[in-house]
Amino acid sequence: MQKLLLAAAAALTLPFGAVPALADGHEMAQPEMLEQDWHRVTMVKFHPGKRERASEIIEMFNKTSQTMGEALPLQIHMNTGAWDMIVAFPMKHGIAQMGWRDTPENKAWQAEFAKMVGGKDKAQAIFKEFDSLVADRQQHIGHTH
């Protein structure tokens, strides 16, 4: 009985659906990619009284993006709810970008930001200051179509 169950389980793993299609000359159909724009969505809550300074730093970030000809992320300033701001950053390389350690565009952006603020150390200090203004943050991935 055990041998019969093992044989049945092994048989279920065979690619029955593909064999007839390949045998009569049909190719496997390529799946159609959906037209979607992917975004990294960040929700931010600032420490009390720190929103204004955070906005000044965000303007520095935006200036860097504009200098590089990049589209600015969608920024929504919240009037209700737990978050002060929701920002949607376009993922230029789509969902595949999730598997990347970094993008060439981000490396170039970081270099340009450092140049604009007077060096890598100053850029790091600004990033650290911005992080100190943030009380809470959540990041999610979403898409539009």
PDB file of all heavy atoms in Angstrom, residues 49-87:
ATOM      1  N   GLY A  49       6.845  69.402  16.842  1.00  0.00           N
ATOM      2  CA  GLY A  49       7.635  70.605  16.592  1.00  0.00           C
ATOM      3  C   GLY A  49       8.757  70.440  15.585  1.00  0.00           C
ATOM      4  O   GLY A  49       9.511  71.391  15.337  1.00  0.00           O
ATOM      5  N   LYS A  50       8.900  69.271  14.962  1.00  0.00           N
ATOM      6  CA  LYS A  50      10.021  69.011  14.048  1.00  0.00           C
ATOM      7  C   LYS A  50       9.620  68.996  12.578  1.00  0.00           C
ATOM      8  O   LYS A  50      10.462  68.870  11.703  1.00  0.00           O
ATOM      9  CB  LYS A  50      10.697  67.678  14.395  1.00  0.00           C
ATOM     10  CG  LYS A  50      11.221  67.608  15.815  1.00  0.00           C
ATOM     11  CD  LYS A  50      12.270  68.670  16.072  1.00  0.00           C
ATOM     12  CE  LYS A  50      12.820  68.566  17.496  1.00  0.00           C
ATOM     13  NZ  LYS A  50      13.827  69.571  17.769  1.00  0.00           N
ATOM     14  N   ARG A  51       8.349  69.179  12.318  1.00  0.00           N
ATOM     15  CA  ARG A  51       7.863  69.107  10.931  1.00  0.00           C
ATOM     16  C   ARG A  51       8.469  70.201  10.054  1.00  0.00           C
ATOM     17  O   ARG A  51       8.821  69.953   8.896  1.00  0.00           O
ATOM     18  CB  ARG A  51       6.339  69.200  10.935  1.00  0.00           C
ATOM     19  CG  ARG A  51       5.697  68.973   9.608  1.00  0.00           C
ATOM     20  CD  ARG A  51       4.196  69.147   9.719  1.00  0.00           C
ATOM     21  NE  ARG A  51       3.513  68.239   8.835  1.00  0.00           N
ATOM     22  CZ  ARG A  51       2.221  68.055   8.831  1.00  0.00           C
ATOM     23  NH1 ARG A  51       1.449  68.683   9.685  1.00  0.00           N
ATOM     24  NH2 ARG A  51       1.673  67.222   7.986  1.00  0.00           N
ATOM     25  N   GLU A  52       8.622  71.411  10.597  1.00  0.00           N
ATOM     26  CA  GLU A  52       9.151  72.519   9.803  1.00  0.00           C
ATOM     27  C   GLU A  52      10.596  72.246   9.365  1.00  0.00           C
ATOM     28  O   GLU A  52      10.942  72.433   8.205  1.00  0.00           O
ATOM     29  CB  GLU A  52       9.083  73.832  10.588  1.00  0.00           C
ATOM     30  CG  GLU A  52       9.478  75.032   9.755  1.00  0.00           C
ATOM     31  CD  GLU A  52       9.282  76.358  10.495  1.00  0.00           C
ATOM     32  OE1 GLU A  52       8.426  76.422  11.399  1.00  0.00           O
ATOM     33  OE2 GLU A  52       9.994  77.304  10.156  1.00  0.00           O
ATOM     34  N   ARG A  53      11.443  71.806  10.288  1.00  0.00           N
ATOM     35  CA  ARG A  53      12.830  71.496   9.925  1.00  0.00           C
ATOM     36  C   ARG A  53      12.877  70.330   8.938  1.00  0.00           C
ATOM     37  O   ARG A  53      13.658  70.346   7.979  1.00  0.00           O
ATOM     38  CB  ARG A  53      13.674  71.189  11.164  1.00  0.00           C
ATOM     39  CG  ARG A  53      15.099  70.782  10.850  1.00  0.00           C
ATOM     40  CD  ARG A  53      15.867  71.867  10.108  1.00  0.00           C
ATOM     41  NE  ARG A  53      17.218  71.418   9.800  1.00  0.00           N
ATOM     42  CZ  ARG A  53      17.894  71.771   8.726  1.00  0.00           C
ATOM     43  NH1 ARG A  53      17.374  72.631   7.852  1.00  0.00           N
ATOM     44  NH2 ARG A  53      19.108  71.304   8.515  1.00  0.00           N
ATOM     45  N   ALA A  54      12.020  69.339   9.135  1.00  0.00           N
ATOM     46  CA  ALA A  54      11.959  68.218   8.198  1.00  0.00           C
ATOM     47  C   ALA A  54      11.598  68.714   6.798  1.00  0.00           C
ATOM     48  O   ALA A  54      12.193  68.280   5.809  1.00  0.00           O
ATOM     49  CB  ALA A  54      10.953  67.181   8.680  1.00  0.00           C
ATOM     50  N   SER A  55      10.669  69.668   6.718  1.00  0.00           N
ATOM     51  CA  SER A  55      10.269  70.228   5.415  1.00  0.00           C
ATOM     52  C   SER A  55      11.425  70.964   4.758  1.00  0.00           C
ATOM     53  O   SER A  55      11.584  70.910   3.525  1.00  0.00           O
ATOM     54  CB  SER A  55       9.071  71.161   5.587  1.00  0.00           C
ATOM     55  OG  SER A  55       7.936  70.430   5.991  1.00  0.00           O
ATOM     56  N   GLU A  56      12.260  71.648   5.544  1.00  0.00           N
ATOM     57  CA  GLU A  56      13.431  72.327   4.986  1.00  0.00           C
ATOM     58  C   GLU A  56      14.404  71.317   4.380  1.00  0.00           C
ATOM     59  O   GLU A  56      14.942  71.536   3.285  1.00  0.00           O
ATOM     60  CB  GLU A  56      14.144  73.135   6.078  1.00  0.00           C
ATOM     61  CG  GLU A  56      13.361  74.328   6.574  1.00  0.00           C
ATOM     62  CD  GLU A  56      13.959  74.962   7.827  1.00  0.00           C
ATOM     63  OE1 GLU A  56      15.013  74.477   8.334  1.00  0.00           O
ATOM     64  OE2 GLU A  56      13.372  75.949   8.318  1.00  0.00           O
ATOM     65  N   ILE A  57      14.615  70.221   5.065  1.00  0.00           N
ATOM     66  CA  ILE A  57      15.525  69.190   4.543  1.00  0.00           C
ATOM     67  C   ILE A  57      14.918  68.520   3.313  1.00  0.00           C
ATOM     68  O   ILE A  57      15.617  68.266   2.322  1.00  0.00           O
ATOM     69  CB  ILE A  57      15.860  68.160   5.645  1.00  0.00           C
ATOM     70  CG1 ILE A  57      16.674  68.844   6.753  1.00  0.00           C
ATOM     71  CG2 ILE A  57      16.629  66.976   5.061  1.00  0.00           C
ATOM     72  CD1 ILE A  57      16.939  67.979   7.970  1.00  0.00           C
ATOM     73  N   ILE A  58      13.614  68.278   3.344  1.00  0.00           N
ATOM     74  CA  ILE A  58      12.949  67.688   2.179  1.00  0.00           C
ATOM     75  C   ILE A  58      13.101  68.593   0.971  1.00  0.00           C
ATOM     76  O   ILE A  58      13.295  68.118  -0.155  1.00  0.00           O
ATOM     77  CB  ILE A  58      11.465  67.383   2.496  1.00  0.00           C
ATOM     78  CG1 ILE A  58      11.390  66.219   3.494  1.00  0.00           C
ATOM     79  CG2 ILE A  58      10.677  67.070   1.231  1.00  0.00           C
ATOM     80  CD1 ILE A  58      10.021  66.001   4.106  1.00  0.00           C
ATOM     81  N   GLU A  59      13.044  69.900   1.171  1.00  0.00           N
ATOM     82  CA  GLU A  59      13.262  70.832   0.050  1.00  0.00           C
ATOM     83  C   GLU A  59      14.675  70.675  -0.524  1.00  0.00           C
ATOM     84  O   GLU A  59      14.866  70.779  -1.733  1.00  0.00           O
ATOM     85  CB  GLU A  59      13.015  72.279   0.485  1.00  0.00           C
ATOM     86  CG  GLU A  59      11.551  72.639   0.570  1.00  0.00           C
ATOM     87  CD  GLU A  59      10.786  72.373  -0.731  1.00  0.00           C
ATOM     88  OE1 GLU A  59      11.275  72.771  -1.817  1.00  0.00           O
ATOM     89  OE2 GLU A  59       9.714  71.754  -0.653  1.00  0.00           O
ATOM     90  N   MET A  60      15.654  70.407   0.334  1.00  0.00           N
ATOM     91  CA  MET A  60      17.015  70.134  -0.140  1.00  0.00           C
ATOM     92  C   MET A  60      17.034  68.853  -0.981  1.00  0.00           C
ATOM     93  O   MET A  60      17.674  68.800  -2.040  1.00  0.00           O
ATOM     94  CB  MET A  60      17.980  70.000   1.043  1.00  0.00           C
ATOM     95  CG  MET A  60      18.125  71.268   1.862  1.00  0.00           C
ATOM     96  SD  MET A  60      18.940  70.987   3.448  1.00  0.00           S
ATOM     97  CE  MET A  60      20.604  70.683   2.932  1.00  0.00           C
ATOM     98  N   PHE A  61      16.324  67.835  -0.515  1.00  0.00           N
ATOM     99  CA  PHE A  61      16.237  66.586  -1.268  1.00  0.00           C
ATOM    100  C   PHE A  61      15.580  66.835  -2.630  1.00  0.00           C
ATOM    101  O   PHE A  61      16.056  66.354  -3.659  1.00  0.00           O
ATOM    102  CB  PHE A  61      15.420  65.541  -0.498  1.00  0.00           C
ATOM    103  CG  PHE A  61      16.014  65.079   0.805  1.00  0.00           C
ATOM    104  CD1 PHE A  61      15.208  64.458   1.747  1.00  0.00           C
ATOM    105  CD2 PHE A  61      17.356  65.233   1.112  1.00  0.00           C
ATOM    106  CE1 PHE A  61      15.727  63.999   2.957  1.00  0.00           C
ATOM    107  CE2 PHE A  61      17.893  64.789   2.315  1.00  0.00           C
ATOM    108  CZ  PHE A  61      17.070  64.164   3.235  1.00  0.00           C
ATOM    109  N   ASN A  62      14.482  67.611  -2.618  1.00  0.00           N
ATOM    110  CA  ASN A  62      13.774  67.907  -3.869  1.00  0.00           C
ATOM    111  C   ASN A  62      14.654  68.683  -4.842  1.00  0.00           C
ATOM    112  O   ASN A  62      14.614  68.433  -6.053  1.00  0.00           O
ATOM    113  CB  ASN A  62      12.490  68.688  -3.582  1.00  0.00           C
ATOM    114  CG  ASN A  62      11.418  67.834  -2.945  1.00  0.00           C
ATOM    115  OD1 ASN A  62      11.471  66.615  -2.959  1.00  0.00           O
ATOM    116  ND2 ASN A  62      10.434  68.486  -2.350  1.00  0.00           N
ATOM    117  N   LYS A  63      15.434  69.620  -4.319  1.00  0.00           N
ATOM    118  CA  LYS A  63      16.330  70.404  -5.181  1.00  0.00           C
ATOM    119  C   LYS A  63      17.337  69.491  -5.873  1.00  0.00           C
ATOM    120  O   LYS A  63      17.626  69.658  -7.055  1.00  0.00           O
ATOM    121  CB  LYS A  63      17.040  71.477  -4.364  1.00  0.00           C
ATOM    122  CG  LYS A  63      17.889  72.399  -5.199  1.00  0.00           C
ATOM    123  CD  LYS A  63      18.502  73.501  -4.357  1.00  0.00           C
ATOM    124  CE  LYS A  63      19.387  74.392  -5.236  1.00  0.00           C
ATOM    125  NZ  LYS A  63      20.079  75.403  -4.464  1.00  0.00           N
ATOM    126  N   THR A  64      17.838  68.516  -5.141  1.00  0.00           N
ATOM    127  CA  THR A  64      18.769  67.560  -5.735  1.00  0.00           C
ATOM    128  C   THR A  64      18.092  66.786  -6.859  1.00  0.00           C
ATOM    129  O   THR A  64      18.646  66.646  -7.954  1.00  0.00           O
ATOM    130  CB  THR A  64      19.306  66.583  -4.664  1.00  0.00           C
ATOM    131  OG1 THR A  64      19.930  67.336  -3.634  1.00  0.00           O
ATOM    132  CG2 THR A  64      20.301  65.598  -5.256  1.00  0.00           C
ATOM    133  N   SER A  65      16.893  66.316  -6.611  1.00  0.00           N
ATOM    134  CA  SER A  65      16.156  65.565  -7.633  1.00  0.00           C
ATOM    135  C   SER A  65      15.898  66.430  -8.863  1.00  0.00           C
ATOM    136  O   SER A  65      16.060  65.966 -10.000  1.00  0.00           O
ATOM    137  CB  SER A  65      14.829  65.046  -7.070  1.00  0.00           C
ATOM    138  OG  SER A  65      15.076  64.122  -6.038  1.00  0.00           O
ATOM    139  N   GLN A  66      15.506  67.679  -8.652  1.00  0.00           N
ATOM    140  CA  GLN A  66      15.246  68.578  -9.776  1.00  0.00           C
ATOM    141  C   GLN A  66      16.521  68.845 -10.567  1.00  0.00           C
ATOM    142  O   GLN A  66      16.488  68.868 -11.806  1.00  0.00           O
ATOM    143  CB  GLN A  66      14.642  69.887  -9.270  1.00  0.00           C
ATOM    144  CG  GLN A  66      13.217  69.721  -8.791  1.00  0.00           C
ATOM    145  CD  GLN A  66      12.680  70.959  -8.087  1.00  0.00           C
ATOM    146  OE1 GLN A  66      13.414  71.657  -7.396  1.00  0.00           O
ATOM    147  NE2 GLN A  66      11.388  71.198  -8.245  1.00  0.00           N
ATOM    148  N   THR A  67      17.641  69.040  -9.880  1.00  0.00           N
ATOM    149  CA  THR A  67      18.919  69.272 -10.552  1.00  0.00           C
ATOM    150  C   THR A  67      19.264  68.094 -11.457  1.00  0.00           C
ATOM    151  O   THR A  67      19.822  68.274 -12.534  1.00  0.00           O
ATOM    152  CB  THR A  67      20.050  69.488  -9.512  1.00  0.00           C
ATOM    153  OG1 THR A  67      19.739  70.646  -8.745  1.00  0.00           O
ATOM    154  CG2 THR A  67      21.400  69.651 -10.164  1.00  0.00           C
ATOM    155  N   MET A  68      18.916  66.909 -11.018  1.00  0.00           N
ATOM    156  CA  MET A  68      19.216  65.708 -11.794  1.00  0.00           C
ATOM    157  C   MET A  68      18.156  65.395 -12.844  1.00  0.00           C
ATOM    158  O   MET A  68      18.279  64.415 -13.575  1.00  0.00           O
ATOM    159  CB  MET A  68      19.371  64.525 -10.843  1.00  0.00           C
ATOM    160  CG  MET A  68      20.540  64.707  -9.908  1.00  0.00           C
ATOM    161  SD  MET A  68      20.896  63.219  -8.992  1.00  0.00           S
ATOM    162  CE  MET A  68      21.391  62.120 -10.314  1.00  0.00           C
ATOM    163  N   GLY A  69      17.108  66.200 -12.902  1.00  0.00           N
ATOM    164  CA  GLY A  69      16.052  65.967 -13.885  1.00  0.00           C
ATOM    165  C   GLY A  69      15.113  64.839 -13.496  1.00  0.00           C
ATOM    166  O   GLY A  69      14.388  64.316 -14.338  1.00  0.00           O
ATOM    167  N   GLU A  70      15.121  64.467 -12.227  1.00  0.00           N
ATOM    168  CA  GLU A  70      14.248  63.394 -11.738  1.00  0.00           C
ATOM    169  C   GLU A  70      12.882  63.965 -11.365  1.00  0.00           C
ATOM    170  O   GLU A  70      12.784  65.079 -10.866  1.00  0.00           O
ATOM    171  CB  GLU A  70      14.857  62.740 -10.491  1.00  0.00           C
ATOM    172  CG  GLU A  70      16.157  62.023 -10.744  1.00  0.00           C
ATOM    173  CD  GLU A  70      15.962  60.644 -11.329  1.00  0.00           C
ATOM    174  OE1 GLU A  70      14.887  60.045 -11.119  1.00  0.00           O
ATOM    175  OE2 GLU A  70      16.892  60.170 -11.999  1.00  0.00           O
ATOM    176  N   ALA A  71      11.856  63.160 -11.558  1.00  0.00           N
ATOM    177  CA  ALA A  71      10.520  63.553 -11.120  1.00  0.00           C
ATOM    178  C   ALA A  71      10.480  63.525  -9.595  1.00  0.00           C
ATOM    179  O   ALA A  71      11.078  62.645  -8.971  1.00  0.00           O
ATOM    180  CB  ALA A  71       9.479  62.589 -11.686  1.00  0.00           C
ATOM    181  N   LEU A  72       9.820  64.494  -9.006  1.00  0.00           N
ATOM    182  CA  LEU A  72       9.689  64.523  -7.552  1.00  0.00           C
ATOM    183  C   LEU A  72       8.686  63.464  -7.112  1.00  0.00           C
ATOM    184  O   LEU A  72       7.714  63.180  -7.809  1.00  0.00           O
ATOM    185  CB  LEU A  72       9.225  65.898  -7.081  1.00  0.00           C
ATOM    186  CG  LEU A  72      10.175  67.054  -7.341  1.00  0.00           C
ATOM    187  CD1 LEU A  72       9.584  68.356  -6.814  1.00  0.00           C
ATOM    188  CD2 LEU A  72      11.530  66.799  -6.714  1.00  0.00           C
ATOM    189  N   PRO A  73       8.901  62.888  -5.941  1.00  0.00           N
ATOM    190  CA  PRO A  73       7.907  61.928  -5.440  1.00  0.00           C
ATOM    191  C   PRO A  73       6.611  62.656  -5.095  1.00  0.00           C
ATOM    192  O   PRO A  73       6.622  63.855  -4.819  1.00  0.00           O
ATOM    193  CB  PRO A  73       8.577  61.368  -4.182  1.00  0.00           C
ATOM    194  CG  PRO A  73       9.545  62.413  -3.754  1.00  0.00           C
ATOM    195  CD  PRO A  73      10.003  63.103  -5.011  1.00  0.00           C
ATOM    196  N   LEU A  74       5.527  61.917  -5.115  1.00  0.00           N
ATOM    197  CA  LEU A  74       4.243  62.466  -4.695  1.00  0.00           C
ATOM    198  C   LEU A  74       4.270  62.601  -3.185  1.00  0.00           C
ATOM    199  O   LEU A  74       4.536  61.638  -2.474  1.00  0.00           O
ATOM    200  CB  LEU A  74       3.102  61.536  -5.116  1.00  0.00           C
ATOM    201  CG  LEU A  74       1.711  61.913  -4.614  1.00  0.00           C
ATOM    202  CD1 LEU A  74       1.278  63.252  -5.192  1.00  0.00           C
ATOM    203  CD2 LEU A  74       0.722  60.821  -4.950  1.00  0.00           C
ATOM    204  N   GLN A  75       4.058  63.820  -2.679  1.00  0.00           N
ATOM    205  CA  GLN A  75       4.052  64.075  -1.241  1.00  0.00           C
ATOM    206  C   GLN A  75       2.650  64.504  -0.828  1.00  0.00           C
ATOM    207  O   GLN A  75       2.106  65.451  -1.375  1.00  0.00           O
ATOM    208  CB  GLN A  75       5.035  65.183  -0.877  1.00  0.00           C
ATOM    209  CG  GLN A  75       6.470  64.835  -1.165  1.00  0.00           C
ATOM    210  CD  GLN A  75       7.407  65.988  -0.826  1.00  0.00           C
ATOM    211  OE1 GLN A  75       7.087  66.828  -0.001  1.00  0.00           O
ATOM    212  NE2 GLN A  75       8.557  66.016  -1.466  1.00  0.00           N
ATOM    213  N   ILE A  76       2.105  63.796   0.149  1.00  0.00           N
ATOM    214  CA  ILE A  76       0.787  64.127   0.665  1.00  0.00           C
ATOM    215  C   ILE A  76       0.964  64.538   2.121  1.00  0.00           C
ATOM    216  O   ILE A  76       1.443  63.745   2.935  1.00  0.00           O
ATOM    217  CB  ILE A  76      -0.180  62.932   0.553  1.00  0.00           C
ATOM    218  CG1 ILE A  76      -0.283  62.477  -0.907  1.00  0.00           C
ATOM    219  CG2 ILE A  76      -1.548  63.289   1.128  1.00  0.00           C
ATOM    220  CD1 ILE A  76      -1.024  61.172  -1.095  1.00  0.00           C
ATOM    221  N   HIS A  77       0.613  65.777   2.430  1.00  0.00           N
ATOM    222  CA  HIS A  77       0.692  66.288   3.802  1.00  0.00           C
ATOM    223  C   HIS A  77      -0.663  66.002   4.459  1.00  0.00           C
ATOM    224  O   HIS A  77      -1.685  66.518   4.031  1.00  0.00           O
ATOM    225  CB  HIS A  77       1.001  67.789   3.791  1.00  0.00           C
ATOM    226  CG  HIS A  77       2.267  68.092   3.064  1.00  0.00           C
ATOM    227  ND1 HIS A  77       3.493  68.057   3.667  1.00  0.00           N
ATOM    228  CD2 HIS A  77       2.501  68.408   1.767  1.00  0.00           C
ATOM    229  CE1 HIS A  77       4.437  68.344   2.781  1.00  0.00           C
ATOM    230  NE2 HIS A  77       3.848  68.551   1.623  1.00  0.00           N
ATOM    231  N   MET A  78      -0.637  65.182   5.477  1.00  0.00           N
ATOM    232  CA  MET A  78      -1.873  64.695   6.078  1.00  0.00           C
ATOM    233  C   MET A  78      -2.436  65.689   7.094  1.00  0.00           C
ATOM    234  O   MET A  78      -1.689  66.294   7.855  1.00  0.00           O
ATOM    235  CB  MET A  78      -1.620  63.348   6.755  1.00  0.00           C
ATOM    236  CG  MET A  78      -1.057  62.276   5.822  1.00  0.00           C
ATOM    237  SD  MET A  78      -2.102  61.962   4.383  1.00  0.00           S
ATOM    238  CE  MET A  78      -3.527  61.256   5.194  1.00  0.00           C
ATOM    239  N   ASN A  79      -3.752  65.842   7.080  1.00  0.00           N
ATOM    240  CA  ASN A  79      -4.456  66.692   8.042  1.00  0.00           C
ATOM    241  C   ASN A  79      -5.129  65.861   9.129  1.00  0.00           C
ATOM    242  O   ASN A  79      -5.485  66.389  10.175  1.00  0.00           O
ATOM    243  CB  ASN A  79      -5.515  67.534   7.334  1.00  0.00           C
ATOM    244  CG  ASN A  79      -4.893  68.575   6.448  1.00  0.00           C
ATOM    245  OD1 ASN A  79      -3.850  68.348   5.848  1.00  0.00           O
ATOM    246  ND2 ASN A  79      -5.525  69.721   6.333  1.00  0.00           N
ATOM    247  N   THR A  80      -5.331  64.580   8.848  1.00  0.00           N
ATOM    248  CA  THR A  80      -5.955  63.688   9.827  1.00  0.00           C
ATOM    249  C   THR A  80      -5.181  62.378   9.853  1.00  0.00           C
ATOM    250  O   THR A  80      -4.377  62.088   8.962  1.00  0.00           O
ATOM    251  CB  THR A  80      -7.424  63.387   9.460  1.00  0.00           C
ATOM    252  OG1 THR A  80      -7.449  62.722   8.199  1.00  0.00           O
ATOM    253  CG2 THR A  80      -8.260  64.660   9.398  1.00  0.00           C
ATOM    254  N   GLY A  81      -5.419  61.603  10.870  1.00  0.00           N
ATOM    255  CA  GLY A  81      -4.797  60.286  10.957  1.00  0.00           C
ATOM    256  C   GLY A  81      -3.479  60.316  11.704  1.00  0.00           C
ATOM    257  O   GLY A  81      -3.043  61.343  12.236  1.00  0.00           O
ATOM    258  N   ALA A  82      -2.815  59.169  11.724  1.00  0.00           N
ATOM    259  CA  ALA A  82      -1.606  58.983  12.519  1.00  0.00           C
ATOM    260  C   ALA A  82      -0.347  59.543  11.861  1.00  0.00           C
ATOM    261  O   ALA A  82       0.658  59.743  12.530  1.00  0.00           O
ATOM    262  CB  ALA A  82      -1.404  57.496  12.800  1.00  0.00           C
ATOM    263  N   TRP A  83      -0.389  59.798  10.563  1.00  0.00           N
ATOM    264  CA  TRP A  83       0.817  60.172   9.832  1.00  0.00           C
ATOM    265  C   TRP A  83       0.811  61.653   9.481  1.00  0.00           C
ATOM    266  O   TRP A  83      -0.236  62.231   9.179  1.00  0.00           O
ATOM    267  CB  TRP A  83       0.948  59.328   8.566  1.00  0.00           C
ATOM    268  CG  TRP A  83       0.930  57.868   8.882  1.00  0.00           C
ATOM    269  CD1 TRP A  83      -0.107  56.997   8.698  1.00  0.00           C
ATOM    270  CD2 TRP A  83       1.972  57.117   9.493  1.00  0.00           C
ATOM    271  NE1 TRP A  83       0.239  55.753   9.148  1.00  0.00           N
ATOM    272  CE2 TRP A  83       1.524  55.795   9.644  1.00  0.00           C
ATOM    273  CE3 TRP A  83       3.259  57.430   9.928  1.00  0.00           C
ATOM    274  CZ2 TRP A  83       2.294  54.787  10.199  1.00  0.00           C
ATOM    275  CZ3 TRP A  83       4.039  56.423  10.485  1.00  0.00           C
ATOM    276  CH2 TRP A  83       3.558  55.126  10.614  1.00  0.00           C
ATOM    277  N   ASP A  84       1.999  62.271   9.490  1.00  0.00           N
ATOM    278  CA  ASP A  84       2.137  63.666   9.072  1.00  0.00           C
ATOM    279  C   ASP A  84       2.281  63.779   7.562  1.00  0.00           C
ATOM    280  O   ASP A  84       1.883  64.779   6.965  1.00  0.00           O
ATOM    281  CB  ASP A  84       3.372  64.309   9.731  1.00  0.00           C
ATOM    282  CG  ASP A  84       3.195  64.487  11.224  1.00  0.00           C
ATOM    283  OD1 ASP A  84       2.067  64.804  11.660  1.00  0.00           O
ATOM    284  OD2 ASP A  84       4.183  64.314  11.964  1.00  0.00           O
ATOM    285  N   MET A  85       2.895  62.763   6.957  1.00  0.00           N
ATOM    286  CA  MET A  85       3.185  62.837   5.539  1.00  0.00           C
ATOM    287  C   MET A  85       3.216  61.425   4.951  1.00  0.00           C
ATOM    288  O   MET A  85       3.655  60.484   5.609  1.00  0.00           O
ATOM    289  CB  MET A  85       4.553  63.505   5.336  1.00  0.00           C
ATOM    290  CG  MET A  85       4.988  63.646   3.905  1.00  0.00           C
ATOM    291  SD  MET A  85       6.650  64.379   3.786  1.00  0.00           S
ATOM    292  CE  MET A  85       6.295  66.053   4.290  1.00  0.00           C
ATOM    293  N   ILE A  86       2.743  61.319   3.722  1.00  0.00           N
ATOM    294  CA  ILE A  86       2.863  60.080   2.956  1.00  0.00           C
ATOM    295  C   ILE A  86       3.546  60.454   1.645  1.00  0.00           C
ATOM    296  O   ILE A  86       3.152  61.406   0.974  1.00  0.00           O
ATOM    297  CB  ILE A  86       1.491  59.429   2.700  1.00  0.00           C
ATOM    298  CG1 ILE A  86       0.827  59.063   4.031  1.00  0.00           C
ATOM    299  CG2 ILE A  86       1.635  58.202   1.797  1.00  0.00           C
ATOM    300  CD1 ILE A  86      -0.582  58.533   3.900  1.00  0.00           C
ATOM    301  N   VAL A  87       4.607  59.722   1.319  1.00  0.00           N
ATOM    302  CA  VAL A  87       5.392  60.019   0.122  1.00  0.00           C
ATOM    303  C   VAL A  87       5.466  58.760  -0.735  1.00  0.00           C
ATOM    304  O   VAL A  87       5.774  57.684  -0.229  1.00  0.00           O
ATOM    305  CB  VAL A  87       6.820  60.489   0.499  1.00  0.00           C
ATOM    306  CG1 VAL A  87       7.585  60.896  -0.743  1.00  0.00           C
ATOM    307  CG2 VAL A  87       6.776  61.630   1.503  1.00  0.00           C
TER     308      VAL A  87
END
